[in-house]
């Protein structure tokens, strides 16, 4: 385990009040934990910008009756099979499907895959949740 270091921060009083209000709303017990999370988010953001190896989930919602859609989805996922860890498909109702694709690989390739999936005609919703391989985080 790494050593804990204490440091002080100078900032405007009103900014600190707003920060403390947000901590309360988000149920943080103290400022340290909230600042740790902000730093972690910043590191994860850097991983994606710098095209490092990351993990994430792509969520899609679509109507499986749309002509050609399911086949296009399958062909595309096979093209990116080396990045796809797992896919879960749920039949939401008679028409709508929800698919969650767990991905791992170079950040920019995962963004490209998401864009290609989202642009398939008939996809109602597509979202990439950017996570991390966790290697750079403590
Ligand atoms: Ni379905």
């Amino acid at each position: 385990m790494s050593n804990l270091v204490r440091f002080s921060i100078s900032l405007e009083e009103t900014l600190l009040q707003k920060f403390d209000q947000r901590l309360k709303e988000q149920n943080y017990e103290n400022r340290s934990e909230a600042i740790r999370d902000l730093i972690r988010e910043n590191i994860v953001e850097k991983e994606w910008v710098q095209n490092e190896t990351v993990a994430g989930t792509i969520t899609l919602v679509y109507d499986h009756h749309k002509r050609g859609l399911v086949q296009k989805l399958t062909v595309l996922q096979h093209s990116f099979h080396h990045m796809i860890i797992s896919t879960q498909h749920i039949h939401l109702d008679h028409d709508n499907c929800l698919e969650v694709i767990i991905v791992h690989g170079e950040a920019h390739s995962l963004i490209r895959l998401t864009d290609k999936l989202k642009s398939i005609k008939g996809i109602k919703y597509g979202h990439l949740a950017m996570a991390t391989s966790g290697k750079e985080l403590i």
Side-chain angles (χ1 to χ4, degrees):
M1 196 178 151
S2 51
N3 293 328
L4 272 184
V5 179
R6 284 180 190 277
F7 67 102
S8 60
I9 299 173
S10 306
L11 75 163
E12 289 73 14
E13 192 179 1
T14 51
L15 195 58
L16 182 60
Q17 285 167 354
K18 284 182 183 176
F19 187 59
D20 284 342
Q21 182 57 41
R22 284 295 295 144
L23 302 194
K24 225 181 274 174
E25 290 163 5
Q26 294 175 297
N27 290 318
Y28 278 107
E29 286 183 14
N30 56 59
R31 289 174 185 155
S32 292
E33 196 47 45
I35 287 169
R36 276 184 209 114
D37 276 355
L38 287 175
I39 293 170
R40 289 183 191 116
E41 278 169 31
N42 186 274
I43 290 170
V44 171
E45 203 178 298
K46 184 210 71 174
E47 289 175 359
W48 282 83
V49 169
Q50 295 187 347
N51 198 26
E52 291 174 22
T53 298
V54 291
T57 55
I58 302 168
T59 305
L60 302 172
V61 175
Y62 57 88
D63 181 342
H64 70 96
H65 292 114
K66 276 268 176 196
R67 189 178 290 273
L69 189 153
V70 173
Q71 202 198 343
K72 279 180 194 160
L73 268 181
T74 305
V75 168
L76 193 53
Q77 290 193 48
H78 275 273
S79 303
F80 285 81
H81 68 91
H82 50 289
M83 299 176 196
I84 296 175
I85 307 290
S86 165
T87 302
Q88 179 145 27
H89 182 110
I90 291 149
H91 312 303
L92 288 174
D93 56 34
H94 183 265
D95 303 315
N96 293 295
C97 303
L98 179 135
E99 205 158 300
V100 179
I101 306 166
I102 301 174
V103 288
H104 183 252
E106 284 184 357
H108 295 178
S109 301
L110 302 186
I111 291 169
R112 208 160 41 242
L113 170 60
T114 307
D115 288 343
K116 282 175 183 282
L117 288 165
K118 283 168 74 171
S119 68
I120 294 173
K121 205 175 168 201
I123 298 288
K124 293 180 177 179
Y125 175 83
H127 177 75
L128 169 65
M130 297 180 180
T132 174
S133 65
K135 286 179 186 162
E136 289 197 45
L137 297 182
I138 297 157

